[in-house]
Amino acid sequence: MLPHDLILTNALGEERWLGRTGKHGVARLVRLVDTTTGEPLGVEVRDETGEARALLPWCSWFAGSQGSDGCAALVTALGVPFSDEKCQQSKAAQPWWRGHELAGDARKMSPMEGKVARKQIGWYSSVVGANEPLVLPFFSGLLLVGLMSDEVSMFLAGLLSTLTIMLSLGPATASALVSRISYDRTLEAE
């Protein structure tokens, strides 16, 4: 939180900057409570006209034994009014925010599977395409024939091709294995 802005960061590292002053600034926080169970569902960040600017799912942002303390600390830090509001959710709607105007926002502000996160933030998928790590080794593979040649220049081309393949596929393979083995574990598994 900055003096003039509230910065919300989602699971992908994307930031949402909300002004703390002005017509569309953060004017109050509203905890949405299930009408039947009384359990908190989420927190809406609203501006002075009462329009929701962000929706934070309770289970992702404030759940656990100290969740209410975290919510209270946010209210204190922002210095805005806080209230509860009943939220009528349909029985068939899963997750609860499906019918909410900021449903996409709630989905982005919730944790996601490692596979989905990697797909959205991977450098290769965002810049040049998912198959880019295979393009360089594929074309370098054409020069591997030089390893069986008696000519020095062909042999060096084959040797450099082998080095290129190892240096391009090695880190990509190691990164993929590390992310799948260590980053995709659920909290319960730890």
Side-chain angles (χ1 to χ4, degrees), residues 50-114:
E51 188 174 338
R53 293 290 171 194
L55 176 61
L56 309 174
W58 188 269
C59 62
S60 305
W61 286 75
F62 306 107
S65 60
Q66 298 174 343
S68 294
D69 295 340
C71 185
L74 178 63
V75 171
T76 303
L78 287 173
V80 296
F82 179 75
S83 62
D84 285 346
E85 193 174 285
K86 300 285 185 186
C87 179
Q88 183 67 36
Q89 61 176 345
S90 67
K91 301 280 185 204
Q94 286 298 350
W96 67 269
W97 61 73
R98 189 168 299 256
H100 195 279
E101 62 185 330
L102 293 175
D105 191 34
R107 185 177 41 80
K108 279 192 132 183
M109 290 296 181
S110 299
M112 58 183 64
E113 295 178 24

Side-chain angles (χ1 to χ4, degrees), residues 106-126:
R107 185 177 41 80
K108 279 192 132 183
M109 290 296 181
S110 299
M112 58 183 64
E113 295 178 24
K115 183 178 181 180
V116 174
R118 273 193 312 276
K119 193 172 198 173
Q120 291 189 14
I121 63 169
W123 184 82
Y124 290 120
S125 62
S126 63

